[in-house]
Amino acid sequence: MSDRDSARQRGSAHGFSTRAIRVSSRPPRVDQRPTSVPVYQSVTFSAADADELGAVTTGALDGYAYSRIDNPTDTALAEAVAELEGAEAGYVFASGMAAIHASLVALVRSGDRIVCTRAVYGSTRSLLMNVLGPLGVRTDFVDATDLTAVEAALASEPARILYAETLSNPTMVLADHAALAAIAHGHGAAYLVDNTFASPYVCRPVELGADLAIESATKYLGGHSDVLAGAVAGRADLIREVRRVQIDTGATLAPWAAFLVLRGIATLAVRLERHAASSLALAGWLERQEGVLRVVHPLLPSHPQHELAARLLTGSSGMFALELSGGRPAARAFIDALTLPERTASLGSIHTMVVHPPSTTHRQLDDAGLRDAGIAPGLLRCSIGLEDVDDLQADFAAALEAARRTTAEPATA
Ligand SMILES: Cc1ncc(COP(=O)(O)O)c(C=O)c1O
């Protein structure tokens, strides 16, 4: 007897499989508003009729049809990020690099030019050189702290984009957003900012004139090293272009991942306060230790742009750079001797993470590229987590002792 025949015998119009599919995809009736954003784990959304489906799919009518284009949990995250960045609109992605890629590609065509800060994340530099370069988009790198040089680079030839990082990875160079946005706009370029190291709690580039602010939400927004995500917020007309690129390139954020980032955002402020307090305490202490060449933390008076930090940032994150006088061997010994930080290559997490950029995050760069990006062989990038700061200081003290025992390699800045 077929499924359908046995169903008829029991008085149902449909067979078991049909009923199983229908009952298992029936949303529950909920009269009360949930206090968390539900995970809309559905790729497809059903329209009332063919006309409505056509209108939603083409964007003539607001709504959902297919989750590569829009998903309600993703939309909730995009709107949350836009609001926290002080922006008109936002959009989210499967990773920070996907957000950077879509933002750049939305604004350039073959034959266009980008002017980018020299102090930029390794994968972004690689995207500009190795992905966009062969497609006919040229990038010129400048020292973004030298406003005259930025002005000259934009005046010399037309450029579509001026690109900078609020706090550069890993050298902690600050970008003066108001000044850079004014220069970019004066030359008809859009000003795009990677705000990952700061997060919108510490800096809001759009409020200072940036056209788009990009976040690797994998870092402080998510905050727990358990979700990969990206976001962009800014001018509504540009976000529409960015969304168009994303629809056809498909780096869609999974709704469960969007939920995790939303959950992270709820505690962003309290986490950042603790990240900042612990990182500043450790950075100040490290600066006074033997074997330490320099510590670069935006809230230390020794930061070369300390005055700008006070204007640009409403605090700091957990990030600082630490350069050891013993060069590469000392940096390796320091990392190997640490017992509390995770030996991994991310940042912006509850876990403290110490990485050696020349052998991890900036491995794409040869020695000349590293020099150009201001990365010395003994440089370590520290992302201070939420552990007890006294425990971290004791661990760092033992690691410094191990670094000092290594045979010193001449450090070249
Ligand atoms: C400053 C910065 N921007 C962007 C990214 C890329 O983010 P994701 O790993 O989420 O693609 C990173 C990753 O480390 C980063 O440090």
Side-chain angles (χ1 to χ4, degrees):
M1 200 183 336
S2 75
D3 233 20
R4 201 178 168 85
D5 291 341
S6 65
R8 275 216 191 89
Q9 265 188 0
R10 291 195 312 274
S12 165
H14 298 113
F16 185 87
S17 296
T18 303
R19 285 186 292 124
I21 289 166
R22 292 179 75 86
V23 297
S24 64
S25 45
R26 194 190 295 149
R29 178 178 158 179
V30 181
D31 291 330
Q32 290 72 34
R33 186 178 63 81
T35 56
S36 300
V37 176
V39 177
Y40 283 88
Q41 190 62 49
S42 186
V43 171
T44 42
F45 295 83
S46 224
D49 55 32
D51 281 349
E52 184 184 304
L53 180 60
V56 170
T57 310
T58 56
L61 185 71
D62 279 347
Y64 298 94
Y66 189 63
S67 277
R68 173 159 50 76
I69 300 169
D70 273 321
N71 171 283
T73 317
D74 285 10
T75 301
L77 175 59
E79 288 176 356
V81 174
E83 187 165 331
L84 293 180
E85 298 274 5
E88 287 173 358
Y91 205 67
V92 294
F93 300 82
S95 71
M97 284 318 300
I100 295 170
H101 169 258
S103 302
L104 294 173
V105 167
L107 300 188
V108 292
R109 304 288 173 267
S110 182
D112 283 347
R113 175 172 172 260
I114 295 171
V115 174
C116 179
T117 176
R118 226 175 249 160
V120 72
Y121 174 51
S123 278
T124 305
R125 185 181 273 254
S126 181
L127 168 66
L128 291 164
M129 301 307 288
N130 304 325
V131 179
L132 295 186
L135 298 176
V137 178
R138 198 181 98 211
T139 300
D140 291 323
F141 293 91
V142 289
D143 175 358
T145 65
D146 181 348
L147 298 179
T148 313
V150 176
E151 176 88 52
L154 285 163
S156 65
E157 276 178 72
R160 287 265 177 229
I161 294 172
L162 174 62
Y163 188 93
E165 294 180 356
T166 297
L167 277 162
S168 70
N169 182 352
T171 45
M172 305 300 289
V173 172
L174 286 161
D176 186 343
H177 294 324
L180 292 169
I183 296 173
H185 296 156
H187 293 278
Y191 180 49
L192 271 56
V193 175
D194 181 335
N195 197 44
T196 300
F197 266 41
S199 92
Y201 182 63
V202 172
C203 184
R204 286 174 293 283
V206 173
E207 291 178 355
L208 298 168
D211 298 287
L212 293 176
I214 305 162
E215 304 276 352
S216 165
T218 315
K219 318 302 186 203
Y220 285 111
L221 294 181
H224 294 72
S225 312
D226 54 9
V227 60
L228 199 66
V232 58
R235 274 169 44 194
D237 61 327
L238 298 187
I239 294 292
R240 264 195 299 280
E241 296 305 313
V242 171
R243 180 176 180 271
R244 256 195 270 278
V245 173
Q246 151 61 13
I247 288 170
D248 292 336
T249 48
T252 308
L253 184 63
W256 174 239
F259 170 84
L260 286 176
V261 179
L262 283 164
R263 193 158 106 142
I265 284 175
T267 56
L268 182 66
V270 283
R271 283 187 288 108
L272 262 290
E273 289 291 339
R274 169 95 170 220
H275 284 301
S278 297
S279 70
L280 185 59
L282 275 172
W285 169 79
L286 278 164
E287 215 172 23
R288 300 190 300 274
Q289 305 308 303
E290 193 193 326
V292 172
L293 217 52
R294 62 185 178 125
V295 181
V296 194
H297 187 294
L299 298 189
L300 283 179
S302 58
H303 192 289
Q305 299 163 289
H306 183 60
E307 180 271 330
L308 172 61
R311 275 193 285 124
L312 190 73
L313 312 176
T314 57
S316 83
S317 62
M319 304 303 302
F320 62 83
L322 164 66
E323 190 180 342
L324 300 179
S325 51
R328 210 177 261 263
R332 282 224 186 85
F334 185 90
I335 287 184
D336 287 347
L338 289 169
T339 62
L340 290 177
E342 300 292 341
R343 262 183 284 283
T344 184
S346 191
L347 63 103
S349 165
I350 53 170
H351 305 284
T352 294
M353 296 169 180
V354 179
V355 299
H356 183 230
S359 48
T360 53
T361 54
H362 288 65
R363 68 199 171 281
Q364 304 94 331
L365 304 186
D366 57 15
D367 281 355
L370 285 173
R371 256 195 314 278
D372 195 42
I375 300 171
L379 191 84
L380 292 166
R381 187 188 76 191
C382 302
S383 171
I384 303 306
L386 303 183
E387 303 91 340
D388 290 290
V389 71
D390 292 347
D391 293 337
L392 290 172
Q393 185 172 319
D395 209 29
F396 275 44
L400 269 181
E401 192 53 49
R404 283 193 288 262
R405 282 197 298 270
T406 59
T407 316
E409 169 189 288
T412 51

